[in-house]
Amino acid sequence: LVSHFPSSMVSVRKNDTPAESVSRMVHARKASWCNPSTFCVYPTLASSTGKAFIVKSSQLYPFVEEIQDPDVVLVDRPFLSMTMINVQKMKAKEILQWLNSSNQHKEK
């Protein structure tokens, strides 16, 4: 996302209610990001003010690949899941290294 929005700030909130989280995704000023999850795909697609970056998942939401909208960006890249983080006992530094090493993504 840095290449698309170099001056943007990312905020991660972990104490919001589900309704607050959905609201933040829908009303994101620049972009909303959705990893494979049924929770975030609809609010991300509903975002009216920014781009919707959605990691491809033909198992969870195959219909997304059919959407013809320049503001919907399908990202074809590996997904770093909580399971992977927990199993490998990854620390913040290792997570950042993983994210930086896989920062090349393909857009549809």
Side-chain angles (χ1 to χ4, degrees):
L1 291 175
V2 172
S3 64
H4 290 282
F5 307 102
S7 63
S8 291
M9 179 188 296
V10 174
S11 63
V12 177
R13 298 175 184 252
K14 58 183 179 178
N15 295 320
D16 284 354
T17 66
E20 289 169 325
S21 295
V22 167
S23 176
R24 288 187 194 287
M25 287 183 269
V26 170
H27 299 290
R29 291 185 196 122
K30 299 274 185 176
S32 189
W33 181 272
C34 181
N35 283 317
S37 163
T38 55
F39 176 78
C40 64
V41 72
Y42 296 106
T44 299
L45 288 171
S47 177
S48 60
T49 57
K51 288 222 179 245
F53 289 86
I54 301 175
V55 175
K56 284 185 181 181
S57 177
S58 58
Q59 294 172 330
L60 288 177
Y61 37 78
F63 65 90
V64 172
E65 293 189 38
E66 303 299 321
I67 296 173
Q68 301 294 314
D69 184 335
D71 288 330
V72 176
V73 179
L74 295 180
V75 180
D76 188 9
R77 66 182 289 177
F79 170 62
L80 180 61
S81 68
M82 267 326 277
T83 302
M84 181 189 245
I85 292 169
N86 288 332
V87 167
Q88 295 184 14
K89 297 181 177 150
M90 297 173 81
K91 303 288 185 215
K93 184 177 180 181
E94 296 163 318
I95 293 168
L96 289 172
Q97 287 173 335
W98 187 94
L99 293 169
N100 286 327
S101 70
S102 64
N103 67 4
Q104 298 294 332
H105 67 273
K106 300 174 189 172
E107 295 178 11
K108 182 178 177 184

